[in-house]
């Protein structure tokens, strides 16, 4: 395993089965910059010659997989939920068309650079800890001069949350306080459809879907979201989906495990009060 980060981060990762963790510690790696990270990872790939390089399917993970795949003339697949050996390469599964189908891809050009969806694989705690080795890699001197972060102030990162309560155009405006209250009660995070983000009701970092985050929480509660395929692409791997929508023909109901037909502004306060009493 290679970590571009800090010794404490390695400590957290050491108990998950890797024999060795190669650590590159440098301040220039604190903030993601593709030109810097791809050269450092590229140097490690060149030296270790792995046949498979895994990333988390975040914006940076997907970007690095693509850039390194091109650099090493390897295979690239992103958003994968399963992976196994196949002939002289690997076979991966990747949900497509809003999660209604799974594409089976054979990756024969090695190394294969695969970005996997977070939470698609169970955590495997292992006996013993990996050996952490600091390795010398020349880190480019490129630095950010100034970074303006967009934060939504969420306590739990959206793509790490066990529960996601998302709102769409049906919210009718930027007041997401009902969703925030429900998410807080359930220990979850608030997400949004692209319509809600495009209307400036929520920050881009909250967008779930094809051009936003891909989430797979234990529970996804979609409020006032119609269920367009581009939205489904980001949440269809959720373990349980609950939909609240006043239109009984909304496509989201075909994917939901539990659907409530009605006005979310009447249903959510009842739900919140009931959960508070539990
Ligand atoms: P709508 O489709 O307008 O649905 C609103 C729903 O709210 C309706 O079903 C309505 O019945 C319901 N409603 C209204 N009032 C209430 C109420 N009071 N109580 C209960 N229900 C109510 N979308 C994404 O979400 N994520 C993406 O990443 C994304 N990427 C895209 C990429 C491309 C290339 C394209 C072309 C589109 C993308 N979209 C994405 C947009 C997508 O196609 C839809 O337009 C969008 O998801 C619709 O958002 P919505 O469900 O909030 O709005």
């Amino acid at each position: 395993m290679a970590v571009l980060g800090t010794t404490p981060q390695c400590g957290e990762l050491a108990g998950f089965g890797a024999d060795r963790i190669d650590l590159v510690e440098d301040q220039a790696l604190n903030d993601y910059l593709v030109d810097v990270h791809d050269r450092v990872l590229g140097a490690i790939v060149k030296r270790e010659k792995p046949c498979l390089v895994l990333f988390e399917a975040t914006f940076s993970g997907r970007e690095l997989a693509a850039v390194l795949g091109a650099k090493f003339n390897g295979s690239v697949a992103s958003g994968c939920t399963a992976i196994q050996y196949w002939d002289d390469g690997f076979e991966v599964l990747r949900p497509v068309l809003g999660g209604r189908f799974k594409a089976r891809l054979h990756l024969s050009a090695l190394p294969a650079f695969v970005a996997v969806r977070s939470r698609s694989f169970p955590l495997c705690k292992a006996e013993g800890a990996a050996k952490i080795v600091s390795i010398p890699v020349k880190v480019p001197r490129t630095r950010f001069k100034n970074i303006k972060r967009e934060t939504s102030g969420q306590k739990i990162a959206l793509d790490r949350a066990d529960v996601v309560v998302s709102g769409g155009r049906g919210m009718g405006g930027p007041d997401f306080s009902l969703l925030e209250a429900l998410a807080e009660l359930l220990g979850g995070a608030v997400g949004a459809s692209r319509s809600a983000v495009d209307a400036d009701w929520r920050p881009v970092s909250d967008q779930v879907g094809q051009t936003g985050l891909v989430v797979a929480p234990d529970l996804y509660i979609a409020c006032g979201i119609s269920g367009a395929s581009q939205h489904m692409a980001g949440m269809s791997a959720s373990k349980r989906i609950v939909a609240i929508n006043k239109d009984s023909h909304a496509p989201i109901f075909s994917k939901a495990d539990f659907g409530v037909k009605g006005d979310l502004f009447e249903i959510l306060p009842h739900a919140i009060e009931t959960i508070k009493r539990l």
Side-chain angles (χ1 to χ4, degrees), residues 168-170 192-196 207-212 224-228 230-231 244-247 250 262-265:
R169 203 196 304 269
S193 73
R194 178 157 154 183
S195 300
Q207 184 181 317
V208 172
Q210 184 182 310
T211 41
I225 292 178
S226 59
Q230 295 90 352
H231 186 78
I244 304 173
N245 198 302
K246 62 183 185 185
D247 174 9
D263 187 335
L264 67 94
F265 294 102

Side-chain angles (χ1 to χ4, degrees), residues 101-168:
F101 298 93
K102 280 199 172 131
R104 194 182 291 277
L105 309 178
H106 288 159
L107 310 178
S108 47
L110 300 181
F113 297 87
V114 177
V116 295
R117 285 194 182 186
S118 50
R119 298 172 57 90
S120 298
F121 296 86
L123 275 182
C124 293
K125 278 268 181 193
E127 297 275 311
K131 193 172 157 210
I132 298 169
V133 184
S134 272
I135 56 164
V137 174
K138 198 161 175 267
V139 178
R141 294 292 101 201
T142 315
R143 292 271 199 291
F144 276 107
K145 272 190 92 174
N146 188 10
I147 300 174
K148 200 171 156 217
R149 290 194 194 280
E150 191 185 50
T151 52
S152 59
Q154 304 240 31
K155 286 187 193 153
I156 303 171
L158 191 54
D159 54 354
R160 297 265 182 281
D162 291 335
V163 178
V164 173
V165 185
S166 278

